[in-house]
Amino acid sequence: MKRSYIVAVLLAAVIFISVLVIDSGHEPNPNSERTIEHEAPSGPGVVSDYIDSPTLTDHQVALNDLYVKIPYQKRDIVLTKRTTDKYIIVDITSQDTGELLYTYGESADHGKEKLVFREVTTKEGKVRLQMVVDIDFESGLIRKVLETKVVYDPKPEKVRSEMIGAGSRSGKFPAENVEVLASLYLNWRNESQELYEGYEIGVIKK
């Protein structure tokens, strides 16, 4: 058991480093006027029925113009859609236990630059793993990753380590799928928490 755990950790580290290497060939532009402003989703939003796309598989969940890949089949989960002024958010809960498994969101506009995020629960609150991508709607591909960012709610007393990067799953751009991975080491008073999280997105074919 211990040996398999070590192998899994090493494999995860290799994947994380490879994504950062892929990402290093692109130019994030946090000061660009075209870049979407990072804001926290405000309020619970208006709840509506989740509508799936016929082009998605059983492991792909629609957000707005993008989808996310999940390890569960849709028949085993409950999908709840929430809409705010600026975001479309999907909560994914277990059908058996009602436990919240994932929360994903995407900017509500249909511009070519899209902000997408995943919320991760911490010991004292939440963190959002965000990225801004440039989409080519005609080809249904992601042209490039413009930004990656970690947003804390609330921010820990100390962030001892923060690494986040995104890259093409195929190793080149334009890409059908892009993955973001983050490694965080956080401190609250006398408690600490280490997180290794990520997710994969693609463009919904029209």
Side-chain angles (χ1 to χ4, degrees):
M1 183 72 177
K2 185 176 180 181
R3 186 175 183 181
S4 61
Y5 173 77
I6 293 172
V7 171
V9 170
L10 290 174
L11 181 60
V14 170
I15 293 172
F16 182 71
I17 292 170
S18 66
V19 168
L20 292 180
V21 169
I22 292 170
D23 190 42
S24 65
H26 302 276
E27 297 183 1
N29 194 3
N31 298 318
S32 171
E33 292 181 358
R34 297 181 298 108
T35 300
I36 298 171
E37 183 179 355
H38 295 283
E39 293 185 8
S42 56
V46 178
V47 177
S48 61
D49 292 335
Y50 169 82
I51 300 175
D52 206 16
S53 170
T55 63
L56 298 182
T57 71
D58 203 34
H59 290 278
Q60 297 172 343
V61 172
L63 298 176
N64 189 20
D65 293 311
L66 301 171
Y67 67 84
V68 294
K69 287 189 175 182
I70 61 171
Y72 299 89
Q73 295 189 31
K74 290 173 187 171
R75 65 171 177 264
D76 299 324
I77 58 176
V78 177
L79 298 165
T80 304
K81 181 179 177 181
R82 294 183 283 131
T83 303
T84 67
D85 290 342
K86 296 188 177 181
Y87 296 96
I88 293 173
I89 302 164
V90 176
D91 296 312
I92 302 173
T93 56
S94 168
Q95 195 171 70
D96 294 332
T97 66
E99 176 191 3
L100 178 63
L101 302 170
Y102 299 103
T103 294
Y104 294 98
E106 181 189 332
S107 50
D109 64 276
H110 292 280
K112 68 184 183 108
E113 292 186 9
K114 305 290 292 185
L115 186 150
V116 60
F117 66 86
R118 177 186 165 194
E119 285 188 352
V120 179
T121 301
T122 69
K123 290 181 177 180
E124 298 288 336
K126 297 177 180 178
V127 297
R128 289 199 316 280
L129 310 180
Q130 297 185 169
M131 65 175 159
V132 178
V133 293
D134 186 311
I135 299 173
D136 182 345
F137 285 103
E138 187 174 342
S139 65
L141 298 175
I142 298 169
R143 294 179 61 239
K144 57 184 174 180
V145 177
L146 299 174
E147 284 188 30
T148 56
K149 187 175 183 179
V150 182
V151 178
Y152 300 95
D153 183 22
K155 188 169 183 177
E157 292 182 355
K158 186 175 183 181
V159 179
R160 294 183 59 183
S161 176
E162 178 187 293
M163 292 188 296
I164 183 169
S168 165
R169 290 288 290 174
S170 66
K172 61 182 180 179
F173 285 90
E176 184 172 348
N177 295 108
V178 168
E179 183 177 34
V180 59
L181 293 171
S183 176
L184 311 173
Y185 190 37
L186 314 175
N187 280 109
W188 294 272
R189 295 178 294 279
N190 297 322
E191 287 195 85
S192 62
Q193 185 174 7
E194 191 169 6
L195 296 172
Y196 182 83
E197 301 285 350
Y199 58 96
E200 183 179 337
I201 66 167
V203 180
I204 298 175
K205 307 295 183 185
K206 304 299 183 182

